[in-house]
Amino acid sequence: MSETVIGLFPQDQQAQAIVPWLLSHGFQQNDIDLICGGDAARARGAEGSDLIDKLSRLGVADAQLRQCYVDGIGSGGTLLAARAADEAKAEEAARIMRERGASNCASSTAAQGEGVARLPVIEEELRVGKRQVETGGVRVRQEVSERPVEAEVTLREEHVNVERRPVDRPLTEADRDAAFKDQTIEMTERGEQAVVQKAGKVVEEVVVNKDVDQRTEKVRDTVRRTDVKVEKIEGDDQPKPN
């Protein structure tokens, strides 16, 4: 993650002396800018308001810190801003600025430390994940119903018949043996009744399963990035066009 390191120097020569070191340590020329100071009235006037806006665009969010820089530049100081590609370069640039005389601002010491402000450049990345959701389903329920049925069956029945027949014949030997004795004759009647039994059989199966499909979905969103822009402010000592 890139960061912008800002240092306020009481003299322009101090800030200018750091530029060659930055270039020799991997900084690009368009990542380095100097904001040279002018008189206090100019810094606090209309152009001072422009300077505050520029400091805000640099990422200096603290109002007291911005005013400290405006006062320093208006008193003849020089602001050096350098955009570092990573934290290690930002640390090294901040160390060099402190060693070369970057001044403290009382209102920013706790937050920024020893007169050097470090402004991170933040860029969002789009990360697309997945989560499971219920999109529907099928509920299969077994219910029992009844319906009337009928069937025909042939049943057999027995009936005992008793007949009296007039007879006129001589007594036989068999008749003589059975004559004048008590006798009992029984004959049982039998019949058939319908017996109902139920037997189950499988006539159909309902199979429930799932098919898995895959699809590619394009996700569109926006990501944010903060940019730190450094603009140079010309001093009163610059020649004015005719």
Side-chain angles (χ1 to χ4, degrees):
M1 180 179 67
S2 60
E3 297 185 20
T4 297
V5 183
I6 299 176
L8 178 64
F9 296 86
Q11 295 181 359
D12 182 61
Q13 293 85 348
Q14 292 173 293
Q16 293 283 358
I18 300 177
V19 175
W21 180 91
L22 294 173
L23 294 175
S24 65
H25 283 73
F27 287 81
Q28 302 298 318
Q29 185 65 56
N30 57 359
D31 292 331
I32 305 170
D33 213 337
L34 295 170
I35 302 178
C36 300
D39 61 349
R42 178 176 177 269
R44 293 191 179 93
E47 295 187 27
S49 177
D50 294 339
L51 178 56
I52 291 177
D53 293 339
K54 292 174 183 178
L55 290 172
S56 298
R57 288 195 296 271
L58 282 175
V60 183
D62 185 78
Q64 290 182 332
L65 181 59
R66 288 198 303 266
Q67 190 59 48
C68 176
Y69 287 152
V70 170
D71 293 341
I73 295 170
S75 300
T78 297
L79 192 72
L80 172 62
R83 182 172 179 177
D86 52 46
E87 185 176 357
K89 282 191 175 183
E91 289 280 0
E92 186 68 8
R95 182 184 64 80
I96 291 298
M97 289 186 187
R98 290 193 295 266
E99 291 177 354
R100 301 295 176 88
S103 62
N104 282 327
C105 291
S107 62
S108 63
T109 302
Q112 306 298 334
E114 302 185 16
V116 177
R118 294 175 55 189
L119 308 175
V121 176
I122 303 171
E123 183 174 358
E124 292 181 330
E125 295 180 352
L126 183 64
R127 296 182 180 180
V128 181
K130 297 187 293 184
R131 63 184 177 92
Q132 287 191 347
V133 296
E134 293 185 0
T135 59
V138 174
R139 179 182 292 110
V140 179
R141 184 171 57 195
Q142 177 177 289
E143 295 181 347
V144 179
S145 61
E146 294 183 354
R147 61 184 179 89
V149 295
E150 61 182 21
E152 292 184 354
V153 60
T154 300
L155 301 177
R156 177 176 172 273
E157 291 184 353
E158 296 178 344
H159 301 282
V160 177
N161 298 318
V162 178
E163 297 181 7
R164 288 180 178 270
R165 299 175 181 174
V167 177
D168 185 9
R169 61 177 174 77
L171 188 68
T172 64
E173 194 66 27
D175 295 334
R176 187 176 293 111
D177 293 337
F180 307 110
K181 292 182 180 179
D182 293 334
Q183 297 186 51
T184 301
I185 298 175
E186 291 184 358
M187 183 174 291
T188 303
E189 296 178 341
R190 290 182 172 86
E192 294 178 338
Q193 292 182 342
V195 178
V196 177
Q197 293 181 334
K198 298 179 182 180
K201 64 178 181 179
V202 179
V203 297
E204 185 182 7
E205 284 185 339
V206 177
V207 180
V208 181
N209 56 25
K210 292 193 295 185
D211 292 329
V212 178
D213 296 329
Q214 289 186 338
R215 60 187 178 90
T216 301
E217 181 174 331
K218 184 176 292 185
V219 179
R220 292 184 173 88
D221 207 333
T222 58
V223 294
R224 297 172 295 177
R225 172 188 170 90
T226 61
D227 290 316
V228 177
K229 297 182 180 179
V230 181
E231 298 183 12
K232 186 174 181 179
I233 299 177
E234 302 294 342
D236 290 338
D237 56 344
Q238 301 294 325
K240 297 181 179 180
N242 294 328

